[in-house]
Amino acid sequence: ATVSFLTLNHAIHATGRIKALSIVSGTLYILIFPVTYVFYRLGYNATIYYYIVLFFCILAAGFNIYLLKLVLSEFNLKEFILKTVCRIIIIFLLTFFISQSIFQLKIFINSLFNILTLSLLNFILSIVIIFFIDSDFRLHILNLYNRKKSKL
């Protein structure tokens, strides 16, 4: 996900609209601190920080998409959303729900073991889901496999 949205930043930089990108994105990222402080003062626990960061990152990504469409008329917003954003959402939702379903089986005892197992599980699930969703990734992996197999 981050790579896709960093590519947007590079595309905006290539158009020469660095000032607009820097001012808005920088302002959004700086706002994370005072907004988080307000939520902490209102009594929210520490996990609220992650939701605030997620909110501002999505807001910044939305602005970057809008700015790119504004300065680069050839940018196909519909194609970007279908090929990037929808895939990211599908991969996230599938990984989240499958890992949560497995985690609900209560087969884990130690909390450190829970974190390590769930992290490894999410990594493997993400790779498997990406393999089946993204044909370019699948072809790349299969080509890699065939090259390694032919060397043996």
Side-chain angles (χ1 to χ4, degrees), residues 74-152:
E74 298 85 26
F75 176 67
N76 188 337
L77 182 61
K78 183 178 178 182
E79 183 179 344
F80 177 78
I81 289 173
L82 288 175
K83 287 190 173 183
T84 305
V85 178
C86 286
R87 284 183 183 177
I88 292 168
I89 291 170
I90 290 168
I91 292 165
F92 167 76
L93 290 175
L94 286 172
T95 303
F96 177 78
F97 287 118
I98 292 171
S99 66
Q100 286 302 310
S101 298
I102 292 170
F103 191 71
Q104 293 301 320
L105 296 174
K106 308 261 188 221
I107 56 175
F108 308 113
I109 300 166
N110 184 336
S111 64
L112 178 62
F113 182 71
N114 288 352
I115 293 170
L116 293 174
T117 306
L118 200 55
S119 297
L120 181 63
L121 176 70
N122 283 333
F123 175 75
I124 293 168
L125 276 172
S126 296
I127 296 296
V128 169
I129 291 168
I130 292 169
F131 183 81
F132 287 107
I133 288 178
D134 190 350
S135 59
D136 292 334
F137 180 76
R138 183 173 43 249
L139 287 174
H140 178 70
I141 296 297
L142 292 174
N143 286 339
L144 241 149
Y145 172 76
N146 288 332
R147 274 188 268 150
K148 295 292 181 183
K149 190 172 114 177
S150 67
K151 287 183 180 181
L152 297 175

